[in-house]
Amino acid sequence: GNVPVDIDTYLGEGLREMGCTDPYEALDLVLEQTGLMEPGYQIAMIGEMLASIMDHLREIAALMLFHPRRDVRNAVAALLAHAKGETISPETLKRLIIVRNWFPPEIRKELDTAISNARRARVECAPLKENTLHSVAATTIDGAGAQSFWISVGAKRRFDLCNILWKQGTGVIDTFIHRLPSAKGVDHFLAGLPDVMCFANVDPAYIDKVISHALAIG
């Protein structure tokens, strides 16, 4: 069905009043409010967001590619493929290029169309941050089928230690980022984790494969 509200006024201004400028935080807020509604309503709302004049609403809509429901994820990919190229922001174009390999072929095909449309519309891809990969580690898969990744990137006095937790049969459960002042800080943090958390360095390609699998199941 149609969304019975003005999405720019209701959602765009609402997020602005809350001071929510980070699209990932906004995604969490929107999913908290709408994630249990009928899929058709959610898809219609995402379509309205993609048609918004507000860049940040269109960026949030594109991040719905990570929606917990597979049918919504598939619909978002189709909406992106059919959107005018110029509606895809430079940041969204960058994100689509980064994540395309994580998705199954049917979604990847739609994302490739969206990327091509944006390039034809001469959308400039936002630059990647020049972060140096410091370390990539993975815990052993525990008895419940869960596994954590610890990925650190950065240089000099700014390091981000990123954690991704996924579980077999469920998919990605949680993610968070710790900001640390140095490579020594990263090593000290990891050394301070409980001894029961056994982990080892892994190849970055392993992370790509597992994230792809985790997104496919949820």
Side-chain angles (χ1 to χ4, degrees), residues 30-39 41-42 67-69:
V30 174
L31 284 176
E32 280 177 16
Q33 298 295 320
T34 65
L36 296 178
M37 293 179 176
E38 285 292 321
Y41 179 90
Q42 294 188 63
H67 195 284
R69 290 186 61 106

Side-chain angles (χ1 to χ4, degrees), residues 134 159 161 179-192:
H134 173 63
F159 280 78
L161 181 61
R179 310 226 186 270
L180 294 165
S182 65
K184 281 186 178 179
V186 172
D187 297 338
H188 182 73
F189 180 91
L190 292 174

Side-chain angles (χ1 to χ4, degrees), residues 15 20-31 56 60 64:
L15 290 171
C20 185
T21 57
D22 183 280
Y24 298 97
E25 289 179 12
L27 175 69
D28 286 342
L29 286 171
V30 174
L31 284 176
H56 69 287
I60 298 164
M64 289 286 183

Side-chain angles (χ1 to χ4, degrees), residues 146-164:
Q147 182 181 36
S148 269
F149 296 127
W150 296 91
I151 305 157
S152 62
V153 294
K156 296 182 179 177
R157 297 185 180 182
R158 166 66 186 270
F159 280 78
D160 290 334
L161 181 61
C162 318
N163 178 269
I164 302 172

Side-chain angles (χ1 to χ4, degrees), residues 70-99:
R70 182 178 299 168
D71 51 357
V72 177
R73 291 199 298 273
N74 289 343
V76 172
L79 286 168
L80 284 165
H82 289 92
K84 292 180 179 178
E86 58 269 23
T87 66
I88 293 175
S89 73
E91 284 291 335
T92 292
L93 178 57
K94 177 183 74 173
R95 292 174 188 135
L96 294 181
I97 292 169
I98 291 171
V99 306

Side-chain angles (χ1 to χ4, degrees), residues 87-150:
T87 66
I88 293 175
S89 73
E91 284 291 335
T92 292
L93 178 57
K94 177 183 74 173
R95 292 174 188 135
L96 294 181
I97 292 169
I98 291 171
V99 306
R100 72 168 295 281
N101 288 338
W102 293 349
F103 288 96
E106 61 272 17
I107 287 185
R108 203 179 308 148
K109 181 180 175 184
E110 303 279 34
L111 298 189
D112 285 345
T113 299
I115 291 166
S116 295
N117 290 343
R119 290 205 182 282
R120 272 197 293 271
R122 301 186 183 280
V123 174
E124 288 284 333
C125 184
L128 281 169
K129 290 180 183 175
E130 301 227 355
N131 278 331
T132 303
L133 190 63
H134 173 63
S135 63
V136 183
T139 65
T140 53
I141 298 176
D142 66 20
Q147 182 181 36
S148 269
F149 296 127
W150 296 91

